[in-house]
Amino acid sequence: ARVAAEKARAEQAAVLAAKREQNRKKYSKNQSGYASMVDLSYAFACKHLDGIFGATYTAGYRFNNKLYLGAGAGINCNFGTSAILSGRRFDCNRLLPPSTVSFPLFAYFRANFANRRVSPFFALSAGGELSPKQTLKLDLYEIPYSAHSILIEPQLGLNIRTTTKSSLYLAVGLNNHIVPCCFSYTGYSAVLGYGYTAGVQLHFGFTF
């Protein structure tokens, strides 16, 4: 009985090893060509970018199982504080609030660290966000300003391949923005420019 049990365990281990090898060959087979991505995100941990939900679509080219390059667009919805403050309560050198809706346009690069079914990866998004004009309300005057911004976001994540050509992923990014800023104001005028802000952004998406 003891010999039979050991033989059964050895056979089971051999079957599992063969299955792992089959999966390794299946997912290590090079896949190249056009590929798309759908991404859902949430930005937080930053007063200026807190509470922003986003959805983007990216189209690009998969060079192999590790490298991907594309371009994307989408929509961001700001559910945080976005009301423009009045002049008598407005602090100088303050980032101006974002609009409630913005439209990101960006280039996207991703590199998987391993040619396996589950692999960590590094990604980088760079581009800008188009937004409706906003209004800075002073005591005696209102100044319209462009709420467009520049964005650069490095990401670290985990890619899980569901088939040879599709996958799910989770990622966390550092969302760096160059956004409109008020350097000084009086009751009837203001000096506007651009300032820097950053926040943490969580991502969930799939490629196909």
Side-chain angles (χ1 to χ4, degrees), residues 6 47 49 57 65 67 87 96 120 122 126 171 178 182 187:
E6 290 179 353
K47 185 176 181 181
L49 299 173
Y57 172 80
N65 291 347
L67 298 178
L96 297 176
F122 168 79
I178 304 298
C182 178

Side-chain angles (χ1 to χ4, degrees), residues 129-184:
E129 288 190 8
L130 304 178
S131 301
K133 277 196 172 183
Q134 297 288 84
T135 301
L136 174 61
K137 296 181 180 179
L138 305 176
D139 293 340
L140 304 175
Y141 192 66
E142 294 185 357
I143 301 178
Y145 68 91
S146 171
H148 302 333
S149 64
I150 299 172
L151 68 91
I152 298 176
E153 184 190 3
Q155 302 173 19
L156 288 175
L158 189 67
N159 188 68
I160 305 170
R161 296 174 68 181
T162 54
T163 69
T164 55
K165 294 185 179 181
S166 62
S167 62
L168 299 174
Y169 66 87
L170 295 170
V172 58
L174 179 62
N175 198 325
N176 302 276
H177 269 69
I178 304 298
V179 296
C181 177
C182 178
F183 295 114
S184 64

Side-chain angles (χ1 to χ4, degrees), residues 42-202:
Y42 175 70
F44 66 101
C46 178
K47 185 176 181 181
H48 182 73
L49 299 173
D50 201 25
I52 295 181
F53 289 89
T56 61
Y57 172 80
T58 302
Y61 190 81
R62 181 191 288 124
F63 295 93
N64 49 46
N65 291 347
K66 290 186 176 182
L67 298 178
Y68 176 86
L69 182 65
I75 183 171
N76 289 334
C77 298
N78 174 30
F79 294 100
T81 301
S82 61
I84 304 302
L85 301 179
S86 66
R88 58 170 61 96
R89 293 190 300 156
F90 195 86
D91 297 326
C92 293
N93 300 324
R94 178 168 177 174
L95 299 174
L96 297 176
S99 61
T100 55
V101 177
S102 62
F103 304 93
L105 300 171
F106 56 90
Y108 181 86
F109 167 79
R110 180 193 281 191
N112 291 327
F113 295 148
N115 186 15
R116 298 177 180 175
R117 184 178 184 184
V118 179
S119 171
F121 69 84
F122 168 79
L124 180 67
S125 296
E129 288 190 8
L130 304 178
S131 301
K133 277 196 172 183
Q134 297 288 84
T135 301
L136 174 61
K137 296 181 180 179
L138 305 176
D139 293 340
L140 304 175
Y141 192 66
E142 294 185 357
I143 301 178
Y145 68 91
S146 171
H148 302 333
S149 64
I150 299 172
L151 68 91
I152 298 176
E153 184 190 3
Q155 302 173 19
L156 288 175
L158 189 67
N159 188 68
I160 305 170
R161 296 174 68 181
T162 54
T163 69
T164 55
K165 294 185 179 181
S166 62
S167 62
L168 299 174
Y169 66 87
L170 295 170
V172 58
L174 179 62
N175 198 325
N176 302 276
H177 269 69
I178 304 298
V179 296
C181 177
C182 178
F183 295 114
S184 64
Y185 80 93
T186 64
Y188 56 89
S189 67
V191 177
L192 304 183
Y194 284 88
Y196 169 78
T197 186
V200 176
Q201 189 154 357
L202 299 179

